[in-house]
Amino acid sequence: MSGRKFVQNPGPTNIPDAVLEAFRRPAMDFDAPEFIELIDGIWAELPALFGGAHGVVVLTSVGHGAWESGLVNILAPGDRAMFVSGGLFGQAWGTTAQTLGYDATITPIADLRRAPEPEVVHEALVADRGHRVKAVCVAQTETSTGSVVDVAAFREAIDEADHPAFFVVDAIGSFATEPMHMREWKVDVVLAASQKALMMPPGLAFCAFSERALDRARERPTPSAYWAWPPRMNQERSYMRFGGTPPEQHIYALRAAMDLIEEEGGIDAVVARHRAYAEAVHACVEAWGKEGPWELNVVDPAERAAAVTCVRTGDIDAEEIRSVSRDRFGVSVGAGMLDLMGRAFRIGHLGDLNEPMLLGALGGIEAAMDHLGHPHGPGVAAAVAALAAHP
């Protein structure tokens, strides 16, 4: 098939040419002034992207490394942590904590069609009179279902319970697609990764932290070498900032990605673009569903994520839709997860994306429906109208 394929998975995402070209750098001395100047500039800018972090460490890792690093720096062996689960990744994060030996409580998934409610946190913390819970861990966007939580409401639930637990947010699927005001919302730790809205390949993960969280990390609650934050605060050598040999090409690519965000108008403009595209996809799916079985998984519009949309397919085999969309029309979308396996597909609309790309991807999915003889309403036309409503 000639031309580019459309990667509309929730991650990895499309990589812009400027980021790809940034990888074309030869190896260099990581203590050279040029490289030190590069990372000094990046480190100075990263806290603002997270909405006022006290500091940010960059890990040569995927998002699972951020999960682990976020835990070992604030929890001691045996500590209790509460994981609010709205889908597969909330559960998996909690399971990671259990594997590490923490007393991890994973809340049951109340409804795959709803985002988790902050009341579950408030009730648990009010009942925790001995303050055994040391951390409340919440995923901002649950990419398995397409839901997003109100981070500020969860902070309010912790405050109303008058509880000292650390507040940890997994923003791996939501970074640069949803608002994140870390300082204002008093979030202690925010986790992110490079292969989502940062428009890079997998390979970098980020832990943004508050001053309170860094103070806790300096106590070394869990013995750790590679994942520990304090050694990475050493500004004298780039080797120390990365816990080993710096991923030089990834750092040049990160600089290129951050420059693209700035050229677009900054993080707020990028977040606004993602919300506009999400609304166009939601309009498309709703239009499809007027003449077919297609249905948005998340019922409440306020709980629908800007990064990914989960589409229920009724009695139609979702895997057949995915296969034809990918192999015949060049549009790759994600699979349904948990109880939605084979009964839903997920459209990623994050990262390096513009209106023609989005409409082309939706058109490819719609063409797959036509190819298989499945009824649907005029989804792409609805998406066009939704996009036209935005300036």
Side-chain angles (χ1 to χ4, degrees):
M1 180 183 292
S2 61
R4 289 194 178 186
K5 294 184 178 181
F6 289 78
V7 181
Q8 300 307 138
N9 299 72
T13 60
N14 298 300
I15 304 172
D17 289 341
V19 173
L20 287 172
E21 287 300 317
F23 276 96
R24 295 172 56 86
R25 306 284 300 215
M28 65 182 302
D29 180 356
F30 51 71
D31 282 330
E34 175 188 349
F35 191 68
I36 296 296
E37 182 179 1
L38 173 70
I39 58 177
D40 280 347
I42 291 173
W43 261 239
E45 295 174 29
L46 279 174
L49 293 182
F50 287 87
H54 177 70
V56 182
V57 297
V58 180
L59 309 166
T60 309
S61 165
V62 294
H64 290 71
W67 277 355
E68 189 159 334
S69 183
L71 296 172
V72 303
N73 280 278
I74 62 171
L75 297 178
D79 273 355
R80 178 170 294 177
M82 179 181 184
F83 290 82
V84 180
S85 176
L88 177 67
F89 294 101
Q91 288 185 332
W93 189 15
T95 301
T96 296
Q98 292 172 343
T99 302
L100 292 169
Y102 303 118
D103 180 7
T105 300
I106 306 171
T107 64
I109 301 173
D111 187 346
L112 286 175
R113 308 198 71 169
R114 294 296 308 271
E117 297 283 351
E119 284 74 14
V120 68
V121 169
H122 181 262
E123 292 173 3
L125 296 186
V126 167
D128 181 35
R129 296 177 181 174
H131 294 169
R132 292 192 60 197
V133 175
K134 303 303 181 184
V136 173
C137 304
V138 182
Q140 186 174 24
T141 290
E142 176 53 70
T143 55
S144 68
T145 65
S147 68
V148 62
V149 302
D150 183 342
V151 174
F154 276 88
R155 175 72 258 179
E156 185 176 346
I158 297 171
D159 289 345
E160 289 181 351
D162 194 23
H163 200 285
F166 286 96
F167 186 26
V168 185
V169 174
D170 171 353
I172 293 170
S174 61
F175 180 71
T177 72
E178 303 285 353
M180 173 52 67
H181 305 293
M182 189 173 175
R183 187 184 301 275
E184 178 185 344
W185 294 341
K186 296 184 290 182
V187 182
D188 290 295
V189 183
V190 176
L191 313 175
S194 60
Q195 75 275 16
K196 304 283 189 174
L198 265 179
M199 308 172 287
M200 292 176 59
L204 294 184
F206 306 84
C207 289
F209 45 80
S210 66
E211 187 173 6
R212 174 178 178 240
L214 180 60
D215 287 343
R216 176 61 171 157
R218 287 182 172 135
E219 298 172 4
R220 298 184 65 84
T222 295
S224 176
Y226 186 73
W227 301 118
W229 301 336
R232 293 171 178 267
M233 305 303 289
N234 186 326
Q235 304 293 304
E236 295 180 3
R237 293 195 63 206
S238 60
Y239 186 90
M240 299 299 295
R241 296 194 211 193
F242 293 96
T245 304
E248 294 175 344
Q249 286 70 27
H250 272 77
I251 297 303
Y252 276 103
L254 175 59
R255 177 70 272 169
M258 291 171 65
D259 288 345
L260 289 174
I261 290 173
E262 184 62 27
E263 289 170 13
E264 189 170 338
I267 193 73
D268 291 343
V270 173
V271 168
R273 168 171 59 84
H274 281 93
R275 178 51 60 184
Y277 290 177
E279 291 175 0
V281 175
H282 301 160
C284 176
V285 177
E286 288 175 337
W288 283 339
K290 290 179 179 179
E291 299 178 29
W294 323 102
E295 190 177 5
L296 289 160
N297 177 58
V298 178
V299 177
D300 186 347
E303 296 178 353
R304 293 171 187 162
V308 55
T309 296
C310 182
V311 183
R312 288 179 174 243
T313 61
D315 293 331
I316 292 173
D317 181 4
E319 289 306 292
E320 186 177 40
I321 292 288
R322 291 183 65 234
S323 295
V324 172
S325 177
R326 180 191 62 231
D327 301 335
R328 173 67 178 82
F329 296 102
V331 180
S332 172
V333 295
M337 294 180 165
L338 297 174
D339 292 345
L340 297 175
M341 289 182 64
R343 300 170 52 212
F345 59 86
R346 295 173 302 135
I347 305 171
H349 32 81
L350 70 165
D352 182 41
L353 194 64
N354 59 30
E355 293 182 358
M357 293 166 70
L358 181 65
L359 294 172
L362 295 174
I365 298 169
E366 193 168 295
M369 295 175 182
D370 289 334
H371 183 82
L372 292 168
H374 298 316
H376 63 81
V380 175
V384 171
L387 289 172
H390 286 272

